[in-house]
Amino acid sequence: MDGLKVLPSGRPGRGRLYVNRPDGQAVAWYDRQTNRISVLSDGWREAVLAVLRPYLSGDWTIGPPPVPTRAELRRLHLPPDRDLAPNRPGETLLGELEYGAPGGSRARHRMRRQLVALQRTGAELDLLEAEDWRVVHDVPLPGLGLLDHLLIGPPGVFVLRTVPGRRQRAQVGDLLLTVGRAAPAPDPRWIRRAASHASRALASPVTAALCLTDASRVEVAPTLRDVLVLQPPTLTPTLHAVPATLKPPDVEALFTTARTTTTWLPNQ
């Protein structure tokens, strides 16, 4: 099969499947929403069908792609090691826990609790991909660490930091976030800095958001107006209530830029 590999774009079960040569260049892709295979050259047709056949379902079609946009051309030539789109929620934590996290049992317990929160929020965000939203998890921000989730949809671009509520009361102020009796943490300030960084990198307005999972109650200071506070049970309706500002081509263009590591790590 000429060494072709099938690589996902977006979350498992959604988005596109790309068929790449060993050098990382795509020769075809399968859009699972439209059930269409686009082949860049007819000479690859049989080999592409051979590797994609286990993934095909229903009445699919195959043929040359429509004339690609500039954003699509950039995506087709993106090497896999520079593509953030396949990241799962909490990708870095998953790796650390799998290969031996540093610290004692308490540290590992906190990491597992954080991972559960990230996966719950990520699962909610991933569902939006069926509605033409795009999401990237574990985005590296120089000087800040990892951004939990970057969400792009009709209402715009959102950066999200997930905080476990631990079934306790959470208080969100202008500068600090407090969960139960734990020491206040500067999460509101951090997510503002992340939004500012993302806005510069993407050349687009970005909304800062905090997502609290499993909190018994969430109290938000009335003066907090530049940070969106979300909870998984009402996360999707809250995002849908934000007025639309982007058209589908704008969403795809921003996603193409956001999924590339060089956008965030220009010296890579």
Side-chain angles (χ1 to χ4, degrees):
M1 298 184 187
D2 302 298
L4 296 180
K5 294 183 179 181
V6 178
L7 295 174
S9 168
R11 309 285 77 73
R14 294 181 290 277
R16 290 178 174 180
L17 292 176
Y18 282 89
V19 181
N20 288 8
R21 299 188 321 197
D23 62 4
Q25 185 172 354
V27 298
W29 62 87
Y30 171 44
D31 190 323
R32 284 175 283 195
Q33 292 188 3
T34 62
N35 229 12
R36 176 175 173 78
I37 305 169
S38 296
V39 184
L40 295 179
S41 172
D42 199 55
W44 290 101
R45 184 186 181 102
E46 296 303 320
V48 165
L49 279 175
V51 296
L52 280 179
R53 198 168 297 280
Y55 306 94
L56 301 178
S57 62
D59 297 324
W60 47 268
T61 59
I62 184 170
V67 177
T69 64
R70 186 176 299 177
E72 287 172 329
L73 286 172
R74 288 197 301 267
R75 179 174 61 214
L76 290 173
H77 291 85
L78 182 63
D81 62 344
R82 294 189 178 182
D83 190 0
L84 298 171
N87 282 359
R88 298 165 293 178
E91 184 77 38
T92 302
L93 275 180
L94 279 166
E96 291 178 356
L97 288 169
E98 181 177 353
Y99 294 105
S105 59
R106 286 188 178 183
R108 288 191 294 271
H109 176 72
R110 285 194 297 269
M111 293 174 68
R112 284 192 291 267
R113 184 172 59 200
Q114 179 68 25
L115 178 60
V116 170
L118 291 169
Q119 290 174 330
R120 184 175 181 189
T121 300
E124 293 280 339
L125 298 177
D126 289 345
L127 292 175
L128 291 169
E129 288 198 329
E131 303 175 28
D132 295 327
W133 293 60
R134 296 292 179 262
V135 60
V136 184
H137 305 289
D138 268 25
V139 178
L141 301 181
L144 292 176
L146 286 174
L147 171 65
D148 296 333
H149 321 280
L150 177 79
L151 181 67
I152 307 170
V157 183
F158 301 82
V159 291
L160 291 88
R161 185 176 180 89
T162 293
V163 179
R166 308 199 305 271
R167 299 180 182 177
Q168 300 182 55
R169 183 181 67 168
Q171 297 173 291
V172 188
D174 288 322
L175 302 177
L176 300 172
L177 184 153
T178 305
V179 176
R181 297 182 179 180
D187 295 296
R189 286 185 289 179
W190 190 96
I191 199 63
R192 284 191 190 96
R193 292 177 61 195
S196 178
H197 186 106
S199 181
R200 291 192 300 271
L202 300 175
S204 172
V206 175
T207 299
L210 295 171
C211 186
L212 289 126
T213 62
D214 296 318
S216 62
R217 187 167 78 252
V218 177
E219 299 174 358
V220 182
T223 53
L224 184 66
R225 297 172 183 172
D226 60 340
V227 177
L228 194 62
V229 179
L230 304 169
Q231 293 178 270
T234 58
L235 186 153
T236 301
T238 302
L239 290 171
H240 280 147
V242 180
T245 59
L246 298 178
K247 296 179 180 180
D250 301 322
V251 172
E252 287 299 328
L254 283 166
F255 174 61
T256 299
T257 302
R259 69 186 293 176
T260 309
T261 57
T262 51
T263 297
W264 312 102
L265 305 170
N267 296 325
Q268 187 181 55

